[in-house]
Amino acid sequence: MKSIFYTLLLSICCTWACTSNSKKENSAEKETPKATASVTVYSVDSLAAGIDKLVGQEITVKGNVQHVCKHSGKKAFLVGDNPDTKIQVKVGGKIKSFGGELIGEELTLKGKVMETRIDEAYLARWEEELKKEEAKHDHKHDKKEAGKKADEASCDAGNSPVDKLRAEIKASGKEYKSVYFLQGMEYSISDGE
């Protein structure tokens, strides 16, 4: 009777141990894809083509540094195969500034896709700032010089950056123009792969 009891107890323990190991293996299998999941690395050209669908997402992009803002180092511009296609990157995360030595280097950069919408309210504020700057400038020069500026301004009517943006917005059929950029988090200089 004791031997039957021990045999039954041993078989229950073996069954329990096998079931427990099976559950651990299954949970390990489920975790493995997360750990080895590949990260999509966008080229600047492919990112620019579909950036509007990635707003708010963290992405990785690879591109060449074409320009770094000299005074602050707070912005850099990446280009891909087409030098006319650019992505602006602003500092953030582990990136405190971009140095001029990065120009020409290929970076692999992680960042968050952001959008600024330029609408009529934005343009009106910008226009007011331009008028204030112009008024300060006119007070510093004599009236004759101010008259020349007024003549030049009337000839340039419709050619200001504000007017150009208004025309782009009107042509788009939307009430705003989207400007996309990356809020940088971290980068590394690519090793040419």
Side-chain angles (χ1 to χ4, degrees):
M1 179 83 165
K2 280 186 183 180
S3 65
I4 294 174
F5 175 73
Y6 286 122
T7 306
L8 184 60
L9 183 60
L10 184 59
S11 66
I12 290 173
C13 288
C14 286
T15 303
W16 177 78
C18 290
T19 305
S20 176
N21 283 341
S22 174
K23 286 180 184 175
K24 286 181 185 176
E25 287 173 8
N26 285 339
S27 66
E29 286 175 12
K30 289 178 185 174
E31 292 175 19
T32 303
K34 290 180 186 175
T36 60
S38 64
V39 174
T40 301
V41 178
Y42 292 90
S43 69
V44 172
D45 301 307
S46 67
L47 177 60
I51 197 165
D52 57 327
K53 295 169 187 69
L54 299 170
V55 173
Q57 295 181 35
E58 290 181 11
I59 58 110
T60 301
V61 64
K62 189 180 265 193
N64 293 311
V65 179
Q66 182 189 51
H67 176 78
V68 172
C69 292
K70 293 177 186 175
H71 299 292
S72 67
K74 302 280 184 195
K75 294 181 201 169
F77 292 86
L78 300 180
V79 295
D81 292 334
N82 179 353
D84 294 332
T85 304
K86 300 175 188 175
I87 298 290
Q88 182 184 114
V89 182
K90 295 183 180 182
V91 296
K94 295 179 182 177
I95 306 170
K96 302 304 177 203
S97 70
F98 294 103
E101 72 279 358
L102 291 174
I103 294 174
E105 294 285 353
E106 183 179 57
L107 299 185
T108 301
L109 183 132
K110 182 178 178 184
K112 186 174 184 179
V113 178
M114 306 295 283
E115 174 187 27
T116 297
R117 289 187 175 184
I118 299 174
D119 58 9
E120 185 54 41
Y122 181 100
L123 294 174
R125 286 190 304 270
W126 189 17
E127 208 165 35
E128 283 302 311
E129 288 175 24
L130 291 174
K131 286 179 184 176
K132 286 178 186 176
E133 287 299 314
E134 190 175 305
K136 286 181 190 177
H137 182 73
D138 285 346
H139 289 296
K140 292 181 182 178
H141 293 77
D142 61 16
K143 290 183 180 185
K144 190 175 184 179
E145 188 69 29
K148 285 182 186 178
K149 293 276 186 196
D151 286 343
E152 289 172 10
S154 67
C155 291
D156 288 338
N159 293 326
S160 76
V162 174
D163 291 335
K164 287 178 184 177
L165 282 169
R166 279 194 177 110
E168 286 179 33
I169 291 169
K170 185 176 181 180
S172 75
K174 297 190 287 187
E175 293 183 10
Y176 61 89
K177 175 182 176 156
S178 294
V179 177
Y180 301 100
F181 64 94
L182 290 177
Q183 188 69 54
M185 299 163 119
E186 61 185 339
Y187 71 85
S188 63
I189 296 175
S190 301
D191 53 2
E193 291 179 12

